[in-house]
Amino acid sequence: MSLYYDAATLLSRSNEHATSLKSRVYSTKGLKSTPSQLYALATEATKWSHILKEVVENSQLLNHERKLSPPLGLLLVHDLLLAKKGIATPASHPLRLAVERHKARLQAEFTKARLRRGFPSIDALRANVDKGQEEGKGIAETQGGSSQGSTVNGLKEWSHPRWVRINTLRTSLQEQLETTFAAHRSGATLDEILRATPSNSPPRLLHMDIHIPDLIALPNSTDLSTLSAYKQGHLILQDKASCFPAYLLNPQPEDEDIIDACAAPGNKTTHLAAIAHIVSPSKTHKIWACERDKARAATLQKMVSIAGADQLVNIKAGQDFLRLKPEEQPWCNVGALLLDPSCSGSGIIGRDDSNARMVFLPSRDSLNSQPTSSRKRKRSKPTPQLEPEEIQEEAPANNIDAKEGLQHRLQALSTFQTLLLTHAFRFPRARKITYSTCSIHAEENEAVVLKALASPIAKQRGWEVLKRDRQVEGMKAWPVRGDLHARDGDAEVAEACIRCEKGTEQGTMGFFVVGFVRDLNVDGDADAVEGFGKEGEKDQGEDEWSGCGDSDSDTQ
């Protein structure tokens, strides 16, 4: 029963937080439930809450069962009506009995709610709820076979595919096509994958990506968790955009050692190891994976081990990248760096600064429901109706104070990100760097590029952006480039920057990546450069960067 109590606590306090639900689940101390189960329950109940609120209120459940709080009632009714195994408590548990004795009425109200919305079956309603929309046509219902997205608030939305990276440290694309995906039609277009739903797609579709080697896309409903290839680390769930940094860095034998500055949970680290192994199997690149949070470093170690990258990756648990001394061993031999720092996470699928996900909690005494008991209850004052509460993935943009809070956080994050990037410029043997965020905000992206290029250390060492015509083929061909306006009209630099937009026909999360290069013949005295990358300056903005980098999405 602790699962429901823990989830109820999260939902009842959701309006007090501006961090993601997933971050709160994994960072809140004292929870007795398994984090993955708790997150799944809270997420699903939130997704259905706008419908279940009606069901609970119209059935008068909370009026009859006063021991149930609104969030607890919402969670229990969710599992009663929608979970395959029902309420996950012993059959004799008092709270389970309290809900199940109203099962017939709850099912009747749920049916009424479904029919009011025009859905002929629960599966049809579920498909639309899963797409984040209660009404309107889904992407699979478009006419004439055109590639149109569904419309929500006037904006087109596309189903997000299941991106899978073939881990070439353990297997090959050809081997997986001949074994795990032998029954799949591998010639599917990305458009077919995006429009596929459980009800209308052929059961086995597979699209081979045209930009990133060894990356495939499957329909969103595909479940890989039971496959032996997944359990053995042959398949890695990783968003396409998240594969860009390591691919753009393109490590070569002459690059010597490599640093992943903010490595956990490790998808980019293991991708980097796989690429390094392909380009020079006989040369052992030493990849240093820094993670200052020791708990997250444990996750990183697990990911690296499952991927079979232990021989290539050296994990520095508890190591703050900003405390590394570039001129000292072994860091003076580093030739390439991958920087994916903490950020606002505004590009993550399901997270939106301007449209925070709502959880609608039922009212105990709603306007259209009165207790049927004949016993009169004395009330000095009427109980006010509860208002909807928000699970705020980011501060909502329609609130002036929230906008100011978000802007302050973006400024703090930008300061930290610039500090990290300019510190990377100080490594004497470094000749290439990639900088990336899962943010859609220019403050964390083009603005950081601008500030870093203007820094004394960048000018002293000769750092410049990796121009589009010098990028690896897949990145050179990627169509969405940097924000020209945010780059003060510098078209060449804007072209060098790579952006991904979420909710489009390209099927990615929101993302930004840019490469930096320099000629090693240009060298200056980094210790003489003041104002950037000094150890004493690393406190700026440090209290503000609890964002994601890799952390808030298991497919990044």
Side-chain angles (χ1 to χ4, degrees), residues 75-146:
L75 292 161
L76 291 169
V77 170
H78 171 273
D79 276 11
L80 175 71
L81 298 176
L82 296 163
K84 290 182 179 179
K85 297 183 179 180
I87 298 174
T89 65
S92 60
H93 194 285
L95 291 183
R96 175 171 176 170
L97 294 174
V99 174
E100 288 186 339
R101 62 171 147 258
H102 302 277
K103 183 175 181 178
R105 182 64 186 273
L106 289 165
Q107 287 178 327
E109 292 298 339
F110 184 62
T111 298
K112 292 177 184 178
R114 170 174 60 80
L115 294 176
R116 278 196 298 272
R117 289 162 171 80
F119 294 103
S121 67
I122 292 177
D123 286 342
L125 176 59
R126 187 189 300 274
N128 277 265
V129 170
D130 285 343
K131 284 179 177 295
Q133 56 186 36
E134 180 184 337
E135 298 174 343
K137 288 185 177 180
I139 190 169
E141 301 174 66
T142 55
Q143 301 296 318
S146 61

Side-chain angles (χ1 to χ4, degrees), residues 137-278:
K137 288 185 177 180
I139 190 169
E141 301 174 66
T142 55
Q143 301 296 318
S146 61
S147 73
Q148 301 174 24
S150 58
T151 300
V152 179
N153 296 328
L155 299 175
K156 287 194 173 181
E157 295 288 339
W158 295 79
S159 173
H160 195 72
R162 180 79 65 187
W163 290 105
V164 182
R165 177 167 60 82
I166 307 301
N167 179 21
T168 53
L169 292 171
R170 291 198 179 277
T171 185
S172 67
L173 175 61
Q174 188 61 36
E175 180 181 358
Q176 290 305 306
L177 291 177
E178 294 173 354
T179 55
T180 305
F181 302 110
H184 285 63
R185 178 164 68 84
S186 59
T189 65
L190 183 57
D191 180 71
E192 289 179 281
I193 299 294
L194 291 169
R195 290 190 290 112
T197 68
S199 60
N200 82 332
S201 68
R204 300 177 186 273
L205 291 175
L206 182 150
H207 169 74
M208 288 186 284
D209 189 61
I210 62 173
H211 298 101
I212 302 294
D214 305 307
L215 184 69
I216 63 174
L218 304 170
N220 182 271
S221 59
T222 305
D223 181 12
L224 302 176
S225 61
T226 60
L227 298 180
S228 59
Y230 173 73
K231 295 177 181 179
Q232 295 168 6
H234 294 189
L235 309 177
I236 295 176
L237 301 182
Q238 185 172 1
D239 191 273
K240 175 176 177 174
S242 178
C243 297
F244 284 13
Y247 183 52
L248 181 63
L249 190 64
N250 190 27
Q252 297 297 312
E254 63 270 20
D255 291 332
E256 303 181 80
D257 294 347
I258 307 167
I259 287 180
D260 186 346
C262 312
N267 278 347
K268 296 181 183 69
T269 311
T270 58
H271 190 200
L272 192 61
I275 294 172
H277 181 67
I278 288 174

Side-chain angles (χ1 to χ4, degrees), residues 11 21 38-53 74-75 78 82 110 117 125-135 162 220-221 349-350 356-361 389-391 393:
L11 296 189
L21 175 61
L38 179 58
Y39 177 66
L41 174 60
T43 301
E44 285 298 308
T46 297
K47 194 163 59 176
W48 284 91
S49 65
H50 59 299
I51 297 175
L52 295 180
K53 171 181 165 66
L74 177 75
L75 292 161
H78 171 273
L82 296 163
F110 184 62
R117 289 162 171 80
L125 176 59
R126 187 189 300 274
N128 277 265
V129 170
D130 285 343
K131 284 179 177 295
Q133 56 186 36
E134 180 184 337
E135 298 174 343
R162 180 79 65 187
N220 182 271
S221 59
I349 300 298
R357 181 177 293 171
M358 303 288 290
V359 54
F360 296 91
L361 295 180
E389 296 180 358
E390 290 185 30
I391 292 182
E393 302 292 2

Side-chain angles (χ1 to χ4, degrees), residues 512-528:
F512 175 89
V513 63
V514 63
F516 296 89
V517 292
R518 75 173 183 122
D519 184 347
L520 282 182
N521 293 322
V522 178
D523 197 11
D525 183 1
D527 292 331

Side-chain angles (χ1 to χ4, degrees), residues 285-529:
H285 279 88
K286 188 174 290 184
I287 300 173
W288 299 98
C290 298
E291 179 49 58
R292 67 177 190 171
D293 186 313
K294 291 185 177 180
R296 284 167 52 78
T299 301
L300 172 63
Q301 179 64 69
K302 179 181 177 181
M303 294 286 286
V304 168
S305 296
I306 292 174
D310 301 85
Q311 299 302 312
L312 293 171
V313 177
N314 294 267
I315 296 174
K316 301 293 289 181
Q319 177 63 62
D320 186 341
F321 172 71
L322 288 173
R323 292 186 179 275
L324 297 182
K325 299 184 183 299
E327 303 289 341
E328 296 182 359
Q329 287 283 357
W331 318 119
C332 59
N333 296 321
V334 169
L337 298 95
L338 187 151
L339 311 180
D340 186 65
S342 298
C343 68
S344 64
S346 52
I348 294 174
I349 300 298
R351 180 176 297 192
D352 193 327
D353 294 332
S354 60
N355 295 291
R357 181 177 293 171
M358 303 288 290
V359 54
F360 296 91
L361 295 180
S363 169
R364 187 177 295 280
D365 294 293
S366 59
L367 295 177
N368 64 342
S369 59
Q370 298 295 331
T372 58
S373 171
S374 61
R375 182 182 300 175
K376 293 183 179 179
R377 302 174 62 90
K378 291 185 178 180
R379 296 181 185 274
S380 57
K381 295 182 180 179
T383 304
Q385 182 174 353
L386 295 180
E387 295 295 324
E389 296 180 358
E390 290 185 30
I391 292 182
Q392 298 179 344
E393 302 292 2
E394 291 297 329
N398 60 350
N399 181 293
I400 295 177
D401 293 335
K403 284 180 74 173
E404 292 176 351
L406 175 62
Q407 193 59 40
H408 173 76
R409 185 163 185 258
L410 290 177
Q411 290 173 354
L413 284 165
S414 180
T415 298
F416 161 65
Q417 292 155 348
T418 305
L419 189 63
L420 191 86
L421 182 51
T422 52
H423 185 65
F425 287 165
R426 299 173 62 85
F427 286 74
R429 299 292 300 168
R431 55 190 295 270
K432 57 171 68 171
I433 295 170
T434 58
Y435 168 80
S436 60
T437 74
C438 51
S439 171
I440 62 175
H441 299 297
E443 291 91 335
E444 300 177 86
N445 300 327
E446 290 89 355
V448 171
V449 174
L450 180 66
K451 288 187 290 184
L453 288 175
S455 69
I457 187 64
K459 295 178 179 179
Q460 187 80 14
R461 292 290 178 88
W463 284 103
E464 61 182 12
V465 292
L466 175 62
K467 297 175 183 177
R468 183 173 186 174
D469 61 3
R470 296 176 59 193
Q471 293 172 6
V472 65
E473 286 303 317
M475 296 292 88
K476 186 191 304 182
W478 181 254
V480 187
R481 314 309 290 191
D483 186 336
L484 182 61
H485 177 72
R487 286 295 308 135
D488 291 340
D490 190 328
E492 188 174 64
V493 175
E495 277 291 291
C497 298
I498 297 168
R499 272 187 174 270
C500 298
E501 300 172 352
K502 62 180 177 179
T504 72
E505 68 276 13
Q506 289 153 343
T508 68
M509 66 189 295
F511 205 80
F512 175 89
V513 63
V514 63
F516 296 89
V517 292
R518 75 173 183 122
D519 184 347
L520 282 182
N521 293 322
V522 178
D523 197 11
D525 183 1
D527 292 331
V529 179

